[in-house]
Amino acid sequence: MSHAAPVSENSAGEYALSFKDLQVTFETSGPEVHAVKGLSLSVRPGEVVALVGESGSGKSVTSTAAMGLLPSNASVTGEAKVGNVNVVGLDQGKMRKMRATDIAMVFQEPMTALNPVLTIERQLTEALELHGIAYGRAATERAVELLTLVGIPDPAKRIKQYPHQFSGGQRQRIVIAMAISCDPKVIIADEPTTALDVTVQAEILDLLRELKDRLNTGILLITHNMGVVADMADQVAVMFQGNLVETGSVDQVLLHPQHEYTQRLLAAVPKLSSAHVDEIARHAEENAAKGRELVLEAKDLVLEYDMRGTKFRAVEGVSFDVAKGEVIGIVGESGSGKSTIAKAVIGLLPVAGGSLEINGQNLPKLSPREARAVRRKIGVIFQDPAASLNPRFPIGECITEPMVVHKEGTKASRIKRAEELLDAVKLPRNVINRYPHELSGGQRQRVCIARALTLSPELLIADEPTSALDVSVQAVVLEMLQELQRDFNFACLFVSHDLAVVDMLADHVVVMQSGKAVEQGLVKTVLHNPQHDYTRRLLAAAPVPDPHEQAVRREAWRALNSGK
């Protein structure tokens, strides 16, 4: 196991950011929580150091300590130096002056980092004026310059707009513009691409790389996406339960991991496989031989949103079908119409044209009562488990809610069903009386899967069910979905922007672009031999956890994009 270079006094000036024996503990009503245990790590100017690990490993606590943003119940010892200044125990006034000018942060969720009631101009000029860099018109000109730098089109006009008028990727670019506005020595990027599509993610990573080279800024990149690490990092540090268990160059750690935890993390990353192809082909052929029992069939599907009297067509002329025991993956960028299709199947959006049949019954033509009976056979897993569980219900009631809604069973039989499902999703039965906030993200997502299976559905709709999860938790949840499908034999509509996950789970795939299906067919043909340029771009944009292969893919993605 290699260690990070120790920070000696005379060389401290070489580092944009350095930690030496950093310890962070939190006082709680119970025992003390030791979140970071003696971490030593350094970031040089112009270097990207990736800090990886699962939720709860101490990554974000480390970055918050460097920003001086830890809550009052935290006690910190050791050093966290920004340039030559140790920020541990630094006076709040001095720390405030250092933020933005010396150290800046790009947060995971741009909407929480931007003020929804202030224009982008106000938010960008605020930091410039606060730190005495520019005022009035000069500050506005600098703000327009920053938006140009991060690739926002028509910046002079768009600077007058509000955050909600920008897409997710553009909002993240604005947050990066705010971070670089005062030329900081180091930027901490905390999961900067988690909520983004693969193509937008590739653009944001390209932008960060370009800015780092131009401004010679050090970047501490916090992520659980090993593909992003391979794409961006020079050095990698792996955290596990508050300890740094492995550090080294990106090649060393990703290609020759020494610690068993790093090996486990890398083994959990879903990859676009070739070995899997034969298995899928065999599976598809077996299904075809058996005769497919269609559960869901869409023909020339047209879906529209009513935007204050004007119709916006979100999906046009899409046809597909899925049979019992099959998984169909729907992939594409944000705004391509993936989730809109899922909404229409659940009945949350009326069908504007074409047909959408579930077990031979055309949804648009059914009366509300008949539609309700059809929906009873559909289970849904949403993207964000925290938002889709009622925080005031104990887990048992969350799981049995569909039985209550559809007036099924007695109280005792519902509890029995909840216990069976907790077994099926590999959660201990004693969580039945706990509340959602007492469980981790991965456990909450399992509860959502259990709830989706309560009424033994014939069709399961999974909308980005693993995008908010760590790689190792994601691997467990995906494996569990495969097992449950073998046991329950449901048809599954799987919406995702992670092509490796779709490759692992799905039999068929539909690639969506701007509301149309540009390519569809068996996963093995579409994802391993794509015919359409857009599918090729999507595949090239998905990062892989091998730095050499990723460098080749990045060039391929740039070449495809320059020709689009």
Side-chain angles (χ1 to χ4, degrees):
M1 181 177 113
S2 52
H3 286 280
V7 185
S8 59
E9 284 307 311
N10 58 359
S11 67
E14 292 174 24
Y15 297 115
L17 175 68
S18 58
F19 300 97
K20 189 177 176 189
D21 196 27
L22 184 74
Q23 309 258 0
V24 184
T25 50
F26 292 97
E27 277 177 41
T28 63
S29 52
E32 267 194 348
V33 175
H34 202 166
V36 180
K37 305 168 184 171
L39 175 128
S40 295
L41 185 69
S42 52
V43 184
R44 287 186 170 83
E47 180 181 54
V48 179
V49 176
L51 193 55
V52 299
E54 293 170 286
S55 299
S57 61
K59 312 187 297 288
S60 293
V61 173
T62 304
S63 66
T64 321
M67 291 292 291
L69 293 172
L70 285 170
S72 55
N73 67 333
S75 76
V76 191
T77 60
E79 283 182 4
K81 280 188 168 181
V82 177
N84 286 324
V85 183
N86 183 12
V87 299
V88 173
L90 192 67
D91 169 67
Q92 271 307 310
K94 287 180 183 163
M95 188 68 235
R96 205 170 291 123
K97 282 200 179 81
M98 286 183 71
R99 283 187 208 122
T101 52
D102 292 282
I103 182 167
M105 192 152 184
V106 176
F107 293 95
Q108 179 169 355
E109 180 41 76
M111 241 356 213
T112 54
L114 294 169
N115 189 329
V117 296
L118 296 180
T119 61
I120 298 303
E121 177 178 19
R122 187 73 210 92
Q123 297 187 56
L124 276 166
T125 54
E126 188 178 32
L128 296 168
E129 290 174 356
L130 201 64
H131 292 285
I133 290 168
Y135 298 93
R137 184 177 290 177
T140 301
E141 281 169 9
R142 170 76 177 137
V144 170
E145 205 180 294
L146 285 163
L147 288 188
T148 311
L149 200 61
V150 297
I152 297 284
D154 204 0
K157 194 167 149 192
R158 299 213 65 183
I159 199 164
K160 307 285 183 201
Q161 295 181 329
Y162 292 87
H164 71 272
Q165 294 172 288
F166 293 83
S167 72
Q170 287 174 326
R171 284 198 286 259
Q172 196 59 294
R173 285 166 184 263
I174 292 164
V175 171
I176 292 169
M178 287 167 80
I180 61 168
S181 61
C182 303
D183 295 330
K185 297 183 179 72
V186 65
I187 293 174
I188 295 174
D190 190 356
E191 300 277 10
T193 59
T194 299
L196 305 175
D197 291 329
V198 279
T199 46
V200 181
Q201 169 175 287
E203 286 165 13
I204 295 290
L205 294 177
D206 239 14
L207 171 68
L208 276 172
R209 193 180 298 107
E210 197 181 303
L211 292 172
K212 162 194 78 101
D213 293 341
R214 189 180 306 182
L215 309 170
N216 199 31
T217 308
I219 295 181
L220 181 66
L221 174 70
I222 295 171
T223 183
H224 61 242
N225 185 330
M226 292 302 190
V228 170
V229 173
D231 199 14
M232 280 287 293
D234 303 304
Q235 301 288 319
V236 184
V238 183
M239 276 190 93
F240 178 57
Q241 294 179 350
N243 289 308
L244 212 52
V245 293
E246 183 163 2
T247 61
S249 72
V250 67
D251 281 18
Q252 250 173 310
V253 177
L254 293 190
L255 301 179
H256 311 288
Q258 301 299 307
H259 196 277
E260 62 167 326
Y261 175 68
T262 317
Q263 292 163 357
R264 266 210 317 277
L265 261 190
L266 287 162
V269 178
K271 299 172 186 69
L272 281 162
S273 60
S274 44
H276 187 49
V277 172
D278 310 325
E279 196 184 311
I280 286 187
R282 195 173 65 248
H283 184 52
E285 280 155 19
E286 278 168 16
N287 274 355
K290 275 189 288 195
R292 297 166 76 229
E293 206 178 315
L294 285 189
V295 177
L296 173 67
E297 189 173 11
K299 284 184 191 150
D300 295 323
L301 187 63
V302 177
L303 302 171
E304 292 175 338
Y305 287 105
D306 197 338
M307 318 266 282
R308 295 182 186 164
T310 56
K311 296 265 194 272
F312 167 69
R313 190 159 279 197
V315 171
E316 188 166 5
V318 173
S319 302
F320 61 87
D321 58 43
V322 57
K324 263 192 177 175
E326 288 180 359
V327 180
I328 188 164
I330 299 189
V331 300
E333 296 170 289
S334 293
S336 61
K338 312 186 297 287
S339 294
T340 306
I341 291 175
K343 275 184 192 158
V345 177
I346 307 163
L348 295 176
L349 192 69
V351 174
S355 68
L356 187 59
E357 291 186 4
I358 293 175
N359 286 332
Q361 291 178 285
N362 191 7
L363 267 186
K365 301 274 189 284
L366 299 180
S367 69
R369 194 170 161 197
E370 289 168 325
R372 187 186 168 105
V374 167
R375 280 205 293 276
R376 196 191 155 283
K377 296 170 184 165
I378 304 173
V380 190
I381 309 166
F382 295 99
Q383 180 168 1
D384 184 354
S388 62
L389 294 172
N390 188 329
R392 290 187 290 274
F393 278 13
I395 296 303
E397 283 181 39
C398 288
I399 292 173
T400 55
E401 193 182 4
M403 295 178 84
V404 176
V405 169
H406 289 282
K407 300 180 175 61
E408 290 248 336
T410 61
K411 194 170 182 191
S413 69
R414 286 172 192 161
I415 290 171
K416 187 170 179 290
R417 180 72 177 142
E419 287 178 340
E420 285 168 6
L421 287 163
L422 284 172
D423 290 344
V425 297
K426 298 182 174 63
L427 279 175
R429 286 186 174 197
N430 63 9
V431 304
I432 207 160
N433 296 317
R434 284 161 71 184
Y435 287 85
H437 72 271
E438 296 179 275
L439 303 183
S440 71
Q443 288 173 320
R444 282 199 291 257
Q445 195 59 295
R446 292 183 198 202
V447 171
C448 292
I449 293 169
R451 180 182 59 185
L453 297 173
T454 306
L455 296 171
S456 304
E458 292 177 25
L459 175 64
L460 187 71
I461 292 168
D463 188 1
E464 301 271 14
T466 59
S467 69
L469 305 176
D470 289 330
V471 278
S472 48
V473 181
Q474 171 177 288
V476 174
V477 170
L478 291 175
E479 208 173 293
M480 199 180 67
L481 270 175
Q482 285 175 311
E483 269 176 42
L484 291 169
Q485 195 188 22
R486 279 197 295 273
D487 298 345
F488 291 86
N489 201 34
F490 48 76
C492 180
L493 181 73
F494 191 88
V495 176
S496 181
H497 64 243
D498 190 328
L499 299 170
V501 169
V502 170
D503 184 39
M504 179 178 160
L505 273 187
D507 308 292
H508 296 83
V509 64
V510 179
V511 182
M512 299 284 296
Q513 183 190 18
S514 312
K516 293 188 168 72
V518 292
E519 192 166 355
Q520 63 191 99
L522 283 173
V523 164
K524 62 160 187 153
T525 47
V526 175
L527 295 188
H528 294 274
N529 186 18
Q531 300 304 306
H532 197 280
D533 264 1
Y534 177 71
T535 315
R536 288 193 193 114
R537 276 212 304 278
L538 269 186
L539 284 160
V544 293
D546 177 326
H548 304 300
E549 191 185 332
Q550 183 50 33
V552 175
R553 289 174 75 94
R554 185 163 65 235
E555 287 314 310
W557 177 77
R558 281 183 182 151
L560 281 164
N561 262 18
S562 60
K564 77 171 174 182

